Every structure is written in structure tokens, then in C-alpha cells.
Amino acid sequence: MENIIVFAAPGADREFALGVAEKLDIELTEKITEASRDLLLLQIAPDGVSLRQGNLVMQGDFSKLSLRVTPGKIGQEMLFKAAKIKNFENTPLAVDATAGMGEDSFILAAAGARVKLFEKDPIIALLLSDALRRGKNDPKIAAVISRMEFAEGDSLEYMRETDEKPDIIYLDPMFPARSKSGLIKKKFQLLGQLEPPATDGEEMLRAAMNLRPKKIIVKRPAKGENLGNYKPHYSLKGKAIRYDCFVFA
């Protein structure tokens, strides 16, 4: 990874920062120089881990989602409507096969599911793990976070080898980059430099179908093609995105 360095900010746990740098096999620095200002900085600081470049900053913060999952608000979430978790007899197991920063997993967990999150990019996985660690200390969301189990790795391997029977499998392959950069959220400008749009989405959908969960939910651009040209049983559509739902008996 030539375009990124680990930056141990003042007061950071240097041993942790050193461990991160060694795991990722990238340079560790404790001082920002002119030469490093245009690089991606994986910053280790007392307030957590963040990804930075110039004025762009990305740091997971589940506390900011707390208002979205209050009893009066969560019912308005499209993913909540797509999952229909209240229709399950027991606490369902949901697998988020493409967790990213875990925001959709948080919605599923707040709706009542037990969620397994998979993320294979090691830097995104570190940001997600750090956000979950800090979320456990927030009493407003600690109960939701307790239902989220994170595993760094490839969900394809899990889906092909697991003996578990997930009730819901959620897929969110990253969308192809838009031509107008102003339409891309800041965090995706940073994420896109780490993890390109998924090319194995169709393969993941086939693996999910082989497990025959009660439901598969696939997040797509509102006007995008079906993933792998598999026609969903039904879709929920918003202005920018839609959720394609596959239902199994």
C-alpha cells in the first residue's frame, strides 16, 4: 500500500499503532510532513481510528445513528421495511456479507436481529472494529451493538463453508463510481481508494442462494440492473437506492 501511512497522533497508544502498521505492512510515522499531506493517513489517536486525506475525514460513529433507530423513527427506514424482522418468530440471524462501515448492520440489529458482519478489506475492518469498540461504551446504543458480531474476512468463504442457517443475508456491493464527483459522499471518496466496487457480487448472491435463508436483501442503485440479472421477488424503491428482496420458503 504505497499511498497510505499509519499516523500515531499525540497521546495515541504507540504499541497499538505499531501493531497496525506491521499487520498492514505500511509505514508508521509520528509526524506529518509536507510529503505526507497528500497521502491517505490511517490515524491512531486517543479518540479512535480514522482515515484522513486533506480535509476529508472518515471515522465510524454509531452514536450518530441513535436517533434513526428510536421507536418512532426506525419504522421509516427502508431496510427495516425490507427485512420485516418483526415477522420472525424468534431472534433472526442476519449476515451482512459486505459490512463496510456497518451502518446497515446497525439498522438490522436495532430492528431486533443478531447480526454477523463480514468485511475483508483490512483498513475498513479496522475502522469498523474501532467504531464497534467505542459504541459499546455508549449506553444509548450499547444494547444494539451487543447484537453485532464482527468477523474480518471474506464472507464468500463463510457462506460456502458454514453449518449455520442464517435467516437473512444482506448484500451491498459498492456501486460503480459516478461521473460527477460532487454526487459522491466524502466517505466514499476515501473508501473508493481502498476498496473498488465489488466484482464478485453475483458470486456472492449465488452463494447466499445456496444457503436458502428466509430472505436475501440486495442493495442496488435505484435505476441499476439486477445483480447478476437475478430477478427479485419484490423490491422497495427510494430516490437513490432500492432493496431487491428474494424470499425462500
Side-chain angles (χ1 to χ4, degrees):
M1 299 183 184
E2 297 180 355
N3 67 328
I4 185 168
I5 57 176
V6 174
F7 171 52
D13 183 337
R14 193 180 187 283
E15 289 302 313
F16 174 71
L18 182 60
V20 169
E22 290 179 346
K23 176 184 177 182
L24 299 175
D25 192 23
I26 56 181
E27 178 187 350
L28 171 67
T29 183
E30 296 180 68
K31 183 177 180 180
I32 300 300
T33 65
E34 286 297 325
S36 62
R37 291 189 185 279
D38 293 331
L39 297 176
L40 284 171
L41 299 179
L42 185 60
Q43 178 172 292
I44 312 297
D47 64 348
V49 182
S50 59
L51 187 66
R52 297 167 179 262
Q53 187 177 52
N55 294 325
L56 298 178
V57 179
M58 185 177 72
Q59 183 178 42
D61 186 356
F62 290 111
S63 297
K64 292 181 179 179
L65 302 179
S66 61
L67 292 179
R68 288 176 56 183
V69 298
T70 58
K73 290 289 185 66
I74 192 169
Q76 300 173 22
E77 295 285 337
M78 282 180 60
L79 182 54
F80 176 89
K81 297 175 183 177
K84 295 184 178 178
I85 288 174
K86 64 181 180 180
N87 292 345
F88 288 84
E89 292 182 3
N90 301 307
T91 300
L93 170 61
V95 170
D96 186 344
T98 49
M101 293 301 291
E103 294 180 357
D104 289 335
S105 287
F106 184 83
I107 299 297
L108 292 171
R114 180 170 65 91
V115 187
K116 280 196 170 184
L117 302 79
F118 287 87
E119 176 53 52
K120 63 182 180 180
D121 184 279
I123 294 176
I124 299 174
L126 177 64
L127 293 169
L128 173 55
S129 179
D130 179 70
L132 289 167
R133 176 187 61 80
R134 287 181 282 108
K136 290 177 181 178
N137 297 322
D138 184 340
K140 292 185 294 185
I141 61 171
V144 176
I145 298 295
S146 71
R147 292 194 290 273
M148 299 170 68
E149 177 188 343
F150 172 58
E152 180 179 346
D154 192 341
S155 61
L156 260 176
E157 294 180 7
Y158 165 81
M159 289 190 286
R160 288 169 174 166
E161 299 174 4
T162 185
D163 293 326
E164 289 185 310
K165 181 69 173 177
D167 298 287
I168 298 169
I169 297 178
Y170 178 65
L171 301 176
D172 177 15
M174 288 180 66
F175 301 164
R178 298 184 176 106
S179 60
K180 297 181 180 180
S181 61
L183 296 176
I184 306 175
K185 291 183 179 180
K186 289 182 179 181
K187 69 177 182 179
F188 292 114
Q189 293 182 41
L190 295 175
L191 281 178
Q193 297 184 56
L194 300 176
E195 189 174 63
T199 58
D200 57 356
E202 183 176 349
E203 191 177 2
M204 296 179 75
L205 180 53
R206 286 198 299 268
M209 287 179 167
N210 287 338
L211 281 176
R212 295 194 67 80
K214 292 183 174 67
K215 178 174 286 189
I216 298 172
I217 304 171
V218 182
K219 187 177 184 179
R220 302 297 293 154
K223 297 181 180 179
E225 296 180 353
N226 294 336
L227 183 60
N229 292 318
Y230 287 100
K231 185 178 180 180
H233 293 110
Y234 68 93
S235 299
L236 295 181
K237 297 181 180 180
K239 292 181 179 180
I241 64 169
R242 73 172 191 269
Y243 291 108
D244 290 343
C245 300
F246 301 83
V247 182
F248 301 89

